[in-house]
């Protein structure tokens, strides 16, 4: 073609003869200021020529290696981490979310053990749960016969509740607080309640004070979980988190057993993570249903999108405005969809190229929990008279 003819013409026109090329090379090698090259060409001694050749080749090798290593280091995006420990007198008080380890009222599930399995299927979108085959037929029969049954309303009505009978005392830095100061939220533990939800009103407090003091009556004879499924604990589980973030209990919840006094000391730890390529955060990511970005909130929205697309409905414990899934869809579609999301890695957390990378700014509250036995003899008598309960009940 025409390009090949042009190339051949240029080669024929511009390429000098072999003797001319040798002459040019000789003149360049003799006159160049590149150290050692003219010594290789001009010296008559073969030994000196060889030595100079080794020196020049060795120096060139070292220079090339240094240049390459600097480029490799530059494109590895090295970072410097700075840790600043700053002691402050006043910080924003975090949100505290409480749940009862026994999720349901005993009278509501005494003849309906299947409720525990149904709730585990529903909450599997937040916490992994493996359904045993021996329960599948029993579940299927219940779902077919109770298609209008709402686990959301059942849990809200018959789950753990917070009122003057369960929240015996509440004090926030010397001022009384009441059940209405807590916001209801669904978690894998059913009905839970958050103090200082969404930072309203914003409270700056002194770390030297006593903070939030609570006395719960978990009423073991009134609330229960199914021991046959492995739920044998009793007490309160709670998590301390930022007021603008969702509570996350999976592996992070703290436990307070019955008959114990737990004291929790907190610190505020704020982390600022560099954006990619120096770090793993991506500052342009925004969440649709959460004010600030967090990996937990992102993970929930990611699952909600996939389930909405596949099942045409949305689990009520995930954020969004879709149609609520009924129990049959939970069993036949949502539960398999969650498993599919996990197996295929559709909602991943961590690195910059994952679905939910690390947040650019994160506030954690590292805790230290200490326990003591609750109630000496005088305390038992005092609370027995005050609450009009027997000493055995108070114990």
């Amino acid at each position: 073609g025409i390009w090949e003819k042009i190339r051949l013409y240029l080669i024929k026109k511009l390429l000098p003869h072999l003797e001319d090329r040798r002459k040019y090379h000789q003149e360049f090698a003799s006159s160049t200021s590149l150290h050692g090259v003219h010594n290789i060409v001009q010296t008559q001694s073969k030994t000196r020529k060889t030595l100079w050749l080794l020196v020049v080749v060795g120096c060139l090798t070292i220079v090339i290696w240094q240049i390459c290593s600097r480029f490799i280091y530059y494109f590895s995006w090295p970072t410097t981490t700075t840790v600043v420990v700053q002691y402050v007198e006043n910080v924003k008080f975090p949100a505290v979310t409480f749940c009862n380890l026994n999720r349901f009222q005993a009278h509501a599930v005494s003849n309906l053990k299947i409720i525990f399995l149904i709730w585990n299927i529903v909450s599997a979108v937040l916490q992994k749960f493996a359904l045993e085959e021996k329960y599948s037929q029993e579940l299927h029969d219940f779902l077919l016969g109770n298609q209008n049954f709402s686990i959301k309303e059942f849990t809200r009505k018959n789950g753990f509740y917070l009122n003057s009978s369960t929240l015996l005392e509440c004090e926030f830095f010397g001022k009384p607080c009441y059940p209405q100061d807590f916001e209801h939220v669904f978690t894998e533990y059913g009905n839970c309640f958050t103090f200082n939800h969404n930072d309203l009103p914003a409270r700056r407090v002194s770390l030297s004070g006593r903070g939030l003091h609570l006395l719960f009556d978990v009423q073991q004879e009134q609330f229960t979980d199914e021991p046959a499924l492995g739920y044998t604990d009793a007490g309160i589980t709670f998590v301390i988190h930022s007021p603008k973030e969702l509570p996350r209990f999976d592996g992070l919840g703290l436990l307070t057993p019955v008959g114990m006094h737990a004291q929790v000391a907190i610190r505020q730890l704020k982390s600022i993570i560099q954006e990619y390529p120096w770090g793993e955060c991506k500052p342009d990511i925004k969440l649709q249903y959460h004010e600030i970005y967090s990996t937990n909130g992102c993970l929930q929205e990611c699952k909600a999108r996939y389930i909405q697309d596949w099942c045409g409905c949305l689990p009520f414990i995930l954020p969004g405005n879709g149609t609520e899934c009924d129990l049959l869809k939970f069993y036949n579609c949502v539960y398999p969809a969650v498993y599919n999301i996990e197996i295929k890695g559709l909602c991943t957390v961590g690195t910059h190229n994952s679905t939910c990378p690390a947040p650019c700014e994160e506030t954690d509250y590292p805790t230290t929990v200490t326990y003591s036995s609750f109630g000496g003899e005088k305390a038992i008598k005092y609370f027995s008279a005050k609450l009009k309960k027997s000493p055995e009940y108070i114990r």
Side-chain angles (χ1 to χ4, degrees):
I2 185 68
W3 295 111
E4 182 65 18
K5 290 180 180 179
I6 294 173
R7 189 182 70 82
L8 292 174
Y9 174 79
L10 291 173
I11 291 174
K12 182 178 178 182
K13 197 74 176 174
L14 298 177
L15 196 64
H17 294 293
L18 183 60
E19 291 183 2
D20 292 336
R21 277 185 286 169
R22 286 178 180 172
K23 180 180 177 181
Y24 296 152
H25 294 163
Q26 183 77 20
E27 289 178 357
F28 172 78
S30 301
S31 60
T32 182
S33 60
L34 185 64
H35 296 297
V37 175
H38 63 280
N39 290 327
I40 297 172
V41 175
Q42 291 180 348
T43 186
Q44 301 299 317
S45 171
K46 290 184 177 180
T47 302
R48 292 189 61 177
K49 190 186 290 287
T50 303
L51 287 173
W52 274 111
L53 182 62
L54 291 174
V55 169
V56 171
V57 171
C59 290
L60 281 174
T61 303
I62 292 173
V63 167
I64 292 170
W65 172 75
Q66 286 184 325
I67 292 172
C68 291
S69 69
R70 293 304 86 195
F71 271 103
I72 292 171
Y73 179 74
Y74 177 80
F75 286 108
S76 68
W77 308 104
T79 59
T80 300
T81 301
T82 302
V83 178
V84 177
V85 180
Q86 185 177 4
Y87 295 94
V88 294
E89 292 185 0
N90 297 297
V91 298
K92 275 192 175 183
F93 193 78
V96 188
T97 299
F98 298 88
C99 311
N100 193 340
L101 289 174
N102 290 296
R103 292 168 290 182
F104 297 105
Q105 297 177 41
H107 72 85
V109 292
S110 58
N111 297 317
L112 204 58
K113 303 296 185 184
I114 204 71
I115 289 295
F116 296 103
L117 288 170
I118 293 174
W119 178 258
N120 285 335
I121 292 174
V122 170
S123 64
V125 296
L126 299 177
Q127 190 179 32
K128 294 178 184 177
F129 169 76
L131 180 64
E132 296 183 30
E133 288 295 327
K134 62 181 180 180
Y135 298 113
S136 58
Q137 187 59 47
E138 188 179 357
L139 270 172
H140 191 262
D141 293 342
F142 177 85
L143 297 177
L144 287 177
N146 298 271
Q147 295 188 23
N148 294 325
F149 182 83
S150 171
I151 189 66
K152 177 183 178 181
E153 294 307 317
F154 180 89
T155 304
R156 188 187 293 273
K157 182 180 178 181
N158 299 293
F160 178 60
Y161 53 82
L162 202 67
N163 58 21
S164 58
S165 67
T166 53
L167 182 63
L168 303 181
E169 285 187 13
C170 181
E171 186 180 275
F172 182 64
F173 284 89
K175 295 182 179 181
C177 44
Y178 306 97
Q180 54 266 32
D181 294 321
F182 291 76
E183 181 80 13
H184 174 270
V185 60
F186 283 115
T187 75
E188 55 263 45
Y189 288 99
N191 291 337
C192 298
F193 299 89
T194 301
F195 181 79
N196 200 29
H197 172 74
N198 206 24
D199 206 18
L200 295 174
R203 292 172 167 131
R204 286 196 171 271
V205 297
S206 169
L207 288 180
S208 61
R210 195 173 176 188
L212 180 65
H213 174 73
L214 299 166
L215 179 62
F216 285 105
D217 182 358
V218 295
Q219 302 183 14
Q220 284 181 269
E221 81 287 348
Q222 184 170 345
F223 297 101
T224 185
D225 261 28
E226 179 52 59
L229 298 177
Y231 300 105
T232 57
D233 297 334
I236 291 289
T237 180
F238 63 96
V239 65
I240 299 169
H241 56 97
S242 171
K244 298 184 184 299
E245 293 184 8
L246 295 171
R248 182 184 174 189
F249 284 90
D250 184 15
L252 299 176
L254 303 170
L255 303 180
T256 302
V258 294
M260 300 290 285
H261 176 207
Q263 184 167 331
V264 184
I266 64 171
R267 293 186 298 116
Q268 187 184 67
L269 178 63
K270 185 176 182 179
S271 303
I272 298 175
I273 301 168
Q274 290 183 311
E275 62 183 82
Y276 181 79
W278 297 276
E280 296 295 344
C281 103
K282 296 177 73 175
D284 56 331
I285 295 183
K286 303 293 181 184
L287 298 182
Q288 187 175 357
Y289 299 103
H290 299 91
E291 185 177 344
I292 63 173
Y293 175 84
S294 67
T295 52
N296 185 37
C298 174
L299 196 62
Q300 290 196 17
E301 289 196 7
C302 176
K303 289 181 178 179
R305 286 193 298 271
Y306 280 111
I307 293 172
Q308 178 79 49
D309 290 342
W310 291 342
C311 303
C313 63
L314 192 64
F316 64 88
I317 53 178
L318 290 181
N321 298 320
T323 304
E324 182 183 337
C325 297
D326 58 34
L327 289 185
L328 273 177
K329 282 197 174 180
F330 262 114
Y331 183 68
N332 294 324
C333 184
V334 174
Y335 188 70
V338 173
Y339 182 77
N340 203 28
I341 290 171
E342 296 287 346
I343 292 298
K344 293 184 178 180
L346 300 178
C347 295
T348 55
V349 175
T351 59
H352 69 278
N353 55 1
S354 61
T355 315
C356 300
C360 296
E361 188 173 305
E362 190 172 32
T363 302
D364 292 319
Y365 294 90
T367 59
T368 302
V369 188
T370 54
Y371 297 96
S372 64
S373 296
F374 176 77
E377 287 300 322
K378 286 188 176 181
I380 294 293
K381 290 180 180 178
Y382 169 77
F383 282 109
S384 177
K386 181 179 180 179
L387 302 176
K388 298 179 181 179
K389 301 284 187 179
S390 68
E392 290 74 19
Y393 179 89
I394 296 299
R395 239 177 233 109

